[in-house]
Amino acid sequence: MRTLKTRRVTAVSDTLAPTPDPLRSTALAADLDDADLRSEPLRRLWGEEEDDALARGMREPILRSIAGDGGVLATLGRLLVLGMPQPLAAVTAALPRLGADGLAALGLARIEGSDVVPTSLLRPQSFVDSDGFGEWWIASDLDEVALDGALPADHVLGVGGASRTLAEIIMPIEVDRALDLGTGCGIQALLVARHAGSVVATDISARALAYAELNAQLNGVTNIEFRLGSMFDPVEGEAFDLIVSNPPFVITPRAEGVPEYEYRDGGLVGDALVEQFLRAVPSFLTPGGVAQLLGNWESRGGQVALTGRSGLDRLSSWVPGDLDLWVIQREELSPLGYAELWIRDGGTTPRDAAFTPLLTAWLDDFTARGVTAVGFGYILVRRPAADGVPLRRLERVTQPVSNVGAALRAGLAAHDVLATGLPATLLVAPDVTEARHLLPGNDDPSIIELRQGGGFARTITVDPALAGFVGACDGDLTVVQIVSALADLFEVPLVELWADLEPRIRQLVLDGLLVPGE
C-alpha cells in the first residue's frame, strides 16, 4: 500500500478566539435586533434565490442584489453574514451601542485603517421545537467562501447539516440536568437549555467553547456551564438525564498529510470514537436517562453477505444488553463515496493536486480494516428506569422523515406500555391512512397498506384481518372484542387469530400507527 509523502497539515486559524463579554454581547444583541438581522428580513433584502445560493457556497448573487445599498441591514449582512470587510463609518453607524471597537473587543472583527475586517461569521439561525418557532444569532469561524480556500484545522463550524439533523432528533423532554458533549458553536446546548434546568457543555477546543459561550450571551441563555476537556473527562462522576452529542465522528486516515479538522475528526482509528462514546455513556446516565447522538459505523470483512447489517451488529455489541438501544441507519456509503464526501468537505476538489493523495490515503485506510461500507444515522441509548425487556431496535430508514424527536419519544413510551401487555383499547394515530391496490375488475385488494404521515413515515403492508382490526380501533371496542368479532367474521378459531395478530398489533403500537386509548 502507498502512504502519503506530503507534509502533515497542521494549519490553524490566524485569528484569535472570540472573547465573550456579557455587557458587550448584550449591546451587540440589541444592535442586531434594531437592525432586524433575522433570516426573513435578509431574504427579503437580497432575494430568496440569492439566499439559497449562499447555502450552496455562492455569495456573488447576493452582492449583485445589494450593490450600492449602504443601509444598516445591508452593511451588517455583508460584514457578518458574508464575512466581507466594510467601511468603518458604516459599521459604527450600524452598531450604535457596541461600535466597531466593541466588535473588535469581542474578537469578531479587527479594524484596519478605515475598514472593519470580520474574523468571524454571525448569522441568524431559526429553529422549531415543542414551544414553537424561534431564532438565534450564531457566531462561528469564517467559512470557505469568506476565506476563499480550505479551512484551518481548528475551524469552529457554524450550524451545518449535521447540527440541524441532531437538533431535529432530540426528544422534546423536560429534564433537570443535560450534557452537550462536543458542543462546538453551542447550538445543541442552546436548544437543550430550553427544556433543562441546567446544561453542561464540553469541548476539547477552547476556541469552540469561546464561541459557544459568546452565543449563549448573545441569545440571553444563562443556564449553561462551559467546560474544557476530552470526551467525558470534564464530567467524571456526574450523571445526566439527557446527553446529546454531535461528536467528531468522521472516519479519517491516520496518515501523513491528511488534515485533522477538530470539528469533525476525533483523532482515533476508524469508528473507534463512536465505540468509545457508547461504551462510556451508560455510566453517566441517570435511571431513565437518555443519550442521543449522530455517528458513523463501519461494516467490515465478509460479514455483510451473511448478516446484511454488520455495521449495525458491531454497534449493538458496544452497548450493554440491559440498556435500551435504538439505531436508525439513514444512509450507507461505499469507501470511495465516503472518502470523496469528506475530502470535498475540507475544501479539496478533484481539480486540486492534493485530491488524489488524500483519496489514496482514505482507501488504503479502509482496505487495512476490510471496510466494505460506512453507515450513518441516529443512535439513542436509554438506561431503563425499571426492570423489563430492553428495547433493541436496529433498523434502516431511508425515506424522508419529520418530527423525529417526537417520534422517538413516542416509540420509547410505547415500548414501556407494551412491557405490561397490550392496552385494553387502541386508537388509530391521526396521521395514518390506508391505501388499497386492486387489479382491474377485482373487488378484493391485492395489497393493503397502512401509511404513516409523520415521524418515520412508515408504510406497512397488512392482510385483511389486520386491516380490519385497525379499522375498528376507534375507542368503542376493546382489543379483545375486536379480535373476537374478526374471528367470527373470518370463521377462524379465536386462539389462532390472536396468535397471528397479537405480535403484529404490538409492532403497530411500537411503530406509532396505533396508540393507547383513553
Side-chain angles (χ1 to χ4, degrees):
M1 293 185 296
R2 297 169 55 195
T3 57
L4 290 178
K5 301 299 184 183
T6 54
R7 179 178 60 84
R8 190 167 187 77
V9 176
T10 56
V12 296
S13 301
D14 59 3
T15 56
L16 298 176
T19 306
D21 178 275
L23 295 179
R24 290 192 175 99
S25 295
T26 300
L28 175 57
D31 286 338
L32 297 178
D33 193 46
D34 285 351
D36 209 11
L37 188 79
R38 303 286 185 182
S39 299
E40 285 308 311
L42 286 170
R43 285 174 70 86
R44 290 194 298 269
L45 173 70
W46 51 52
E48 292 188 7
E49 186 177 13
E50 289 79 2
D51 195 65
D52 293 338
L54 179 62
R56 300 192 302 272
M58 296 181 289
R59 66 182 182 187
E60 181 60 27
I62 289 180
L63 294 178
R64 293 172 64 89
S65 176
I66 61 174
D69 188 338
V72 168
L73 188 57
T75 296
L76 294 180
R78 282 186 288 256
L79 179 74
L80 299 176
V81 178
L82 302 184
M84 301 180 64
Q86 292 296 287
L88 175 59
V91 174
T92 300
L95 301 174
R97 296 175 180 83
L98 180 68
D101 289 338
L103 194 67
L106 283 173
L108 300 179
R110 62 178 184 269
I111 299 174
E112 295 184 357
S114 61
D115 286 332
V116 177
V117 179
T119 56
S120 302
L121 298 176
L122 198 161
R123 293 173 171 172
Q125 177 63 46
S126 59
F127 64 89
V128 178
D129 65 9
S130 58
D131 289 340
F133 174 85
E135 194 162 62
W136 285 310
W137 294 295
I138 301 295
S140 62
D141 274 330
L142 299 173
D143 59 13
E144 298 103 316
V145 177
L147 292 171
D148 194 25
L151 302 175
D154 62 347
H155 177 78
V156 176
L157 193 66
V159 180
S163 298
R164 285 188 286 270
T165 297
L166 181 59
E168 291 166 2
I169 71 168
I170 293 175
M171 295 193 300
I173 55 177
E174 301 289 331
V175 298
D176 290 331
R177 298 194 74 218
L179 168 66
D180 177 16
L181 191 150
T183 192
C185 70
I187 183 64
Q188 306 303 332
L190 291 174
L191 280 166
V192 171
R194 288 167 59 82
H195 303 283
S198 64
V199 180
V200 176
T202 71
D203 207 288
I204 198 171
S205 166
R207 184 181 185 84
L209 285 177
Y211 271 113
E213 184 175 0
L214 175 67
N215 288 329
Q217 293 175 359
L218 279 174
N219 296 287
V221 179
T222 59
N223 60 335
I224 305 175
E225 178 186 353
F226 301 94
R227 301 183 192 176
L228 180 68
S230 176
M231 294 296 285
F232 291 97
D233 290 348
V235 294
E236 188 63 40
E238 301 179 51
F240 300 88
D241 308 305
L242 176 64
I243 298 175
V244 301
S245 184
N246 180 16
F249 58 75
V250 175
I251 297 168
T252 306
R254 309 266 74 88
E256 193 70 23
V258 178
E260 293 182 351
Y261 295 111
E262 288 183 351
Y263 73 91
R264 73 181 204 190
D265 176 17
L268 301 180
V269 174
D271 52 18
L273 183 132
V274 174
E275 177 181 0
Q276 187 180 109
F277 182 103
L278 291 177
R279 291 189 184 280
V281 74
S283 300
F284 298 90
L285 289 173
T286 60
V290 174
Q292 293 188 254
L293 68 150
L294 305 179
N296 279 150
W297 44 87
E298 296 179 340
S299 294
R300 296 179 181 175
Q303 299 177 47
V304 176
L306 298 175
T307 68
R309 57 177 191 179
S310 67
L312 291 173
D313 291 338
R314 290 182 62 248
L315 191 156
S316 179
S317 71
W318 303 335
V319 179
D322 60 342
L323 270 67
D324 294 326
L325 174 65
W326 193 349
V327 184
I328 298 163
Q329 181 167 291
R330 294 291 287 146
E331 63 179 332
E332 189 173 59
L333 294 177
S334 68
L336 175 59
Y338 188 88
E340 182 178 359
L341 170 68
W342 291 109
I343 293 171
R344 288 179 178 272
D345 179 79
T348 302
T349 71
R351 297 189 301 271
D352 299 319
F355 186 87
T356 297
L358 288 174
L359 182 63
T360 300
W362 245 280
L363 296 180
D364 284 349
D365 182 58
F366 284 137
T367 299
R369 291 189 304 281
V371 176
T372 57
V374 180
F376 164 80
Y378 321 145
I379 306 170
L380 183 151
V381 177
R382 181 177 66 162
R383 178 178 292 285
D387 293 334
V389 178
L391 174 69
R392 306 294 286 196
R393 188 163 193 180
L394 313 174
E395 56 181 330
R396 289 185 173 91
V397 177
T398 57
Q399 66 268 21
V401 297
S402 62
N403 203 10
V404 175
L408 290 170
R409 180 182 61 182
L412 290 181
H415 171 74
D416 295 341
V417 168
L418 292 171
T420 58
L422 277 173
T425 59
L426 292 171
L427 299 171
V428 181
D431 65 339
V432 173
T433 58
E434 181 184 275
R436 295 185 174 230
H437 302 263
L438 301 121
L439 295 174
N442 193 336
D443 293 335
D444 295 324
S446 56
I447 300 175
I448 307 175
E449 293 176 334
L450 300 177
R451 297 177 178 175
Q452 192 176 45
F456 295 113
R458 302 181 192 277
T459 297
I460 311 294
T461 301
V462 298
D463 58 20
L466 187 55
F469 177 87
V470 173
C473 287
D474 57 6
D476 290 339
L477 299 175
T478 67
V479 169
V480 173
Q481 288 172 331
I482 296 172
V483 176
S484 297
L486 289 171
D488 292 339
L489 178 64
F490 288 102
E491 298 181 343
V492 296
L494 175 60
V495 173
E496 289 184 13
L497 185 60
W498 177 255
D500 173 60
L501 288 182
E502 192 267 349
R504 294 192 288 155
I505 294 171
R506 293 177 65 90
Q507 190 61 49
L508 290 178
V509 174
L510 192 61
D511 287 342
L513 283 79
L514 293 175
V515 298
E518 297 297 331

